[in-house]
Amino acid sequence: MSVYLGTFGQVELRRQFEDTDLRSTVNTSDVNVSRKRLSFDFQRGQLITGDQVEITSTDGSALSFIDSYTKTSIKRFINVDELGGIRLYTAYADAINGALANAITLAVPSANVPIRVSVEDSDFRIVAQVNSFELNTQRETVDTTALSDDFRSQISSLMSGSGRMSCFWEYTGETVNQVPQYLLQLVLRTKVGSKFRAKFYLKTSGYNPSGVAANANDEIWYEFDGVLTACATQFSPSTAVQFTADFVTTGEIRLRVSLVPSDKLLQENSDDILLDQDGTAKLLLESSDV
C-alpha cells in the first residue's frame, strides 16, 4: 500500500469574469507618457495587477493613446499601482513585477477615446503559498415516502460543493505564480465578480510514493468552477500571517485523471510552442485533454 502525503498537492487557478464590460473614456490628461501610465475612471478594485484585459474603442477609432498603435483593440496584461494608475505589459511576469522599462510606451491622444475594457485570462496558474485546501460535496435528497410505507424512501437529487483554501500571506508578486494577496482582492470585486476555475491536485507529476516508474507522471485532480464567498485573515504575534478563503462551486465537480504524459507539440528544434497570450503556456495536442 502506498501512502500519499498532502505535502505534494497544489492548487491551480484560472480567473473568470461575468459578461460585464467596464466603460470609460481616455482623455489627454489621463495619459502620463514619461511614466507609461494610464488613468481609467473605474471604481477602485475592479482591475487588479495580473489581469489580462482587452481594450476596445467603442467609436471605431484607433487606440491613439498607445504609441504608434493604429488598431481599434488590444489585449495586454496590466499592473495597477496604489493610486489606481495602470501600465500595460505584453507578458504576465512583467505585469506582476511592474517595472517601468518593460511597460508599453504610451502617447498623448489628439482626442478623447471612448473605450470598453473586458477582463480575460488564458491559462491556469499555481497559487503560491497554499498550505491546505479542502473540497466538500453534498447531495440533496427528496423524500418519496408514501403514507402506506413502513420505511422512509428517499432518492438523490442535486449535488453542490463548497470548500476552503488556506495560504500564507504574500503580496510582493512572483514571476510565474499567483500571489495569495490576489484572493483577498478577488473577493472584494463588486462588478467583474469573484468567479474562478480551479484545479485541486491530489497527485502531481513527479510525486510517486508507489515506486512504480510508470506512475511517476500520473496526475489526479478535482476541477470545478467556483465563487469566493469570504476571506478571513489570521494575524497574531509569533505566528505566520495566513488567511483562509471560502468558496462555493457553481457547476459540475469533476474528478480528472491523467495517466499519460502530456503530448506536447514541438518545433523542429524540439522547443515548446508557446501561446501568444502568455509566454509560459504551452500548446498541447488534442489527445492531452483528459
Side-chain angles (χ1 to χ4, degrees), residues 114-270:
I115 61 170
R116 179 181 71 250
V117 178
S118 58
V119 188
E120 304 180 6
D121 202 10
S122 61
D123 194 33
F124 282 97
R125 302 182 189 279
I126 298 174
V127 181
Q129 303 283 48
V130 173
N131 55 29
S132 68
F133 66 77
E134 64 179 68
L135 175 63
N136 307 308
T137 57
Q138 305 88 31
R139 183 177 291 277
E140 299 175 3
T141 59
V142 177
D143 194 327
T144 58
T145 307
L147 291 177
S148 59
D149 290 344
D150 294 327
F151 297 91
R152 185 172 297 279
S153 176
Q154 295 181 334
I155 61 174
S156 62
S157 181
L158 299 177
M159 177 178 287
S160 60
S162 62
R164 168 178 294 189
M165 69 182 81
S166 178
C167 305
F168 291 112
W169 183 60
E170 174 61 73
Y171 74 97
T172 55
E174 300 189 8
T175 57
V176 179
N177 296 336
Q178 298 280 8
V179 293
Q181 172 76 4
Y182 180 80
L183 295 175
L184 295 176
Q185 296 170 309
L186 188 64
V187 78
L188 296 176
R189 286 188 169 187
T190 59
K191 191 168 184 180
V192 296
S194 55
K195 295 175 62 178
F196 63 90
R197 172 164 289 185
K199 293 180 179 180
F200 282 11
Y201 279 85
L202 305 177
K203 183 187 182 305
T204 58
S205 177
Y207 174 49
N208 188 26
S210 69
V212 180
N215 298 341
N217 293 322
D218 293 348
E219 294 181 325
I220 301 175
W221 70 93
Y222 286 101
E223 184 171 340
F224 58 90
D225 294 336
V227 176
L228 287 179
T229 58
C231 283
T233 304
Q234 302 173 10
F235 195 95
S236 61
S238 73
T239 60
V241 178
Q242 57 182 314
F243 72 90
T244 55
D246 296 334
F247 61 86
V248 295
T249 62
T250 60
E252 182 183 1
I253 302 171
R254 299 167 292 275
L255 180 61
R256 312 296 293 269
V257 179
S258 175
L259 301 182
V260 294
S262 297
D263 298 322
K264 296 179 181 179
L265 187 61
L266 303 178
Q267 304 180 49
E268 292 181 358
N269 61 359
S270 298

Side-chain angles (χ1 to χ4, degrees), residues 66-106:
I66 300 176
D67 188 38
S68 303
Y69 198 76
T70 59
K71 298 181 180 180
T72 61
S73 180
I74 191 172
K75 184 182 293 186
R76 292 293 185 268
F77 296 94
I78 64 171
N79 177 278
V80 184
D81 62 25
E82 61 277 5
L83 298 178
I86 292 174
R87 291 193 179 111
L88 304 176
Y89 294 86
T90 302
Y92 172 79
D94 291 336
I96 290 294
N97 293 326
L100 176 62
N102 297 324
I104 292 176
T105 303
L106 304 179

